[in-house]
Amino acid sequence: MSRKYKSRNNNNIPSIPFNYKIVIVFGALVLIGLAYYLIDAQRQIMIRDTGYKMNTMRQEIRRAKDMNSNLRARLAKLNKLETIIIKLNEYGIKLKVPPIEKVYRLKLYEGVEGLGKR
C-alpha cells in the first residue's frame, strides 16, 4: 500500500464518554416527559372547552324550554273565549248571533271510503 492512503482501523473512531451518554439519556427522558406533559395539558384544555360548550348548550336549551312554556301559557290565555271577546270589543267588532234560518248543518263523511256512502 502506498503511503498516500492511511489504513482505517476501528480504533480511530472516537467514542462518547460515559458521562455524556448519561446526560444524553437524561435529556431525552426530560424531552419525553415534557412532550407528555404538553400533550396532556392540551387534552385537558380540550376537555375543559368541551365542558364549557356543553354547559352553554344546556343553558340555551333551558332558556328555550322556559320561553316555550311561557309562550304556551300566553297562547292558552289568548285562546280563551273571554279574551277573544274582549279584544274584539276593543277593536269595535260586535258579534251577533245569526238567525236560525241562516244556520246550516253540514254532514261530513269520514275518510275516502265515506264519499261513496251517502
Side-chain angles (χ1 to χ4, degrees):
M1 237 197 245
S2 68
R3 294 178 144 194
K4 197 173 184 182
Y5 301 106
K6 292 183 180 179
S7 65
R8 294 184 183 177
N9 293 333
N10 287 339
N11 296 338
N12 292 339
I13 298 173
S15 67
I16 299 174
F18 183 72
N19 292 340
Y20 289 151
K21 290 180 183 179
I22 291 176
V23 170
I24 290 171
V25 169
F26 182 72
L29 289 175
V30 167
L31 286 176
I32 290 170
L34 183 62
Y36 177 76
Y37 174 77
L38 291 176
I39 290 170
D40 188 52
Q42 182 182 12
R43 187 175 63 82
Q44 292 294 329
I45 289 170
M46 289 173 62
I47 290 171
R48 186 195 65 210
D49 290 343
T50 305
Y52 284 146
K53 288 178 185 176
M54 283 178 50
N55 285 336
T56 304
M57 293 295 171
R58 284 183 184 143
Q59 289 174 356
E60 288 179 13
I61 289 170
R62 192 176 313 122
R63 274 190 240 121
K65 285 182 179 179
D66 291 342
M67 186 183 299
N68 189 18
S69 65
N70 289 340
L71 290 174
R72 285 181 187 263
R74 285 178 56 193
L75 181 63
K77 181 181 176 185
L78 291 174
N79 279 339
K80 288 183 180 178
L81 184 59
E82 296 85 23
T83 308
I84 295 171
I85 292 172
I86 290 170
K87 287 292 181 185
L88 287 174
N89 288 336
E90 286 177 7
Y91 293 128
I93 301 172
K94 301 289 181 185
L95 293 179
K96 297 179 185 175
V97 177
I100 197 73
E101 297 85 28
K102 292 190 177 183
V103 175
Y104 297 102
R105 185 169 179 220
L106 298 175
K107 186 173 183 182
L108 299 177
Y109 299 101
E110 295 182 13
V112 177
E113 296 88 22
L115 291 176
K117 299 176 185 177
R118 291 187 184 188

